[in-house]
Amino acid sequence: MKKSTRRLLEKIGEEASNRLTHYRYNRSERLHPRYRKGQISALEWFCDLSEHYLIQEKLLKVELRKQVWRQMEAIALLDPGPYRQGIEDAVREMMPLLED
């Protein structure tokens, strides 16, 4: 996920959390109780949604590494030769990018 997407998710989660606090604890505003409840429900949903995708972003990196290692295990079954060596070298060159 791009850093800008991560920032967007963090911003949405923070803003929803701030507004959620306002609607939960600010009783000075005269709001219909069902309106307040609707606001709280929607804002909780935004908090959960942003948290879910931030977790997915972390898991995506792990899953990508696992997939590369699965492919490396399959490549190990190939007969040794220039083709296999080319694949292994390309993967070794790309691995540092997966660590960032």
Side-chain angles (χ1 to χ4, degrees):
M1 215 178 271
K2 286 181 152 182
K3 290 196 186 248
S4 61
T5 304
R6 181 175 181 77
R7 279 190 298 240
L8 173 65
L9 290 170
E10 289 170 345
K11 185 177 176 181
I12 288 171
E14 184 179 325
E15 184 65 25
S17 179
N18 291 340
R19 291 180 185 208
L20 186 58
T21 301
H22 172 79
Y23 280 104
R24 276 189 178 146
Y25 302 110
N26 187 351
R27 300 291 182 194
S28 63
E29 288 184 54
R30 296 212 178 254
L31 299 173
H32 193 282
R34 294 195 61 167
Y35 177 84
R36 183 184 307 274
K37 187 175 180 179
Q39 283 281 333
I40 290 170
S41 293
L43 293 168
E44 285 174 339
W45 179 77
F46 272 106
C47 287
D48 292 345
L49 187 66
S50 63
E51 183 180 345
H52 169 77
Y53 281 108
L54 286 169
I55 291 169
Q56 288 295 92
E57 186 252 348
K58 289 178 185 174
L59 295 176
L60 184 60
K61 290 178 185 177
V62 172
E63 187 58 36
L64 182 60
R65 288 184 198 115
K66 284 182 185 177
Q67 185 63 28
V68 169
W69 288 114
R70 279 189 218 117
Q71 290 301 314
M72 286 299 290
E73 289 171 355
I75 292 164
L77 300 175
L78 295 174
D79 291 332
Y83 179 74
R84 177 178 162 179
Q85 188 63 46
I87 293 172
E88 290 171 343
D89 290 346
V91 171
R92 263 191 288 285
E93 291 169 5
M94 297 300 290
M95 287 308 285
L97 297 174
L98 294 175
E99 301 305 319
D100 290 343

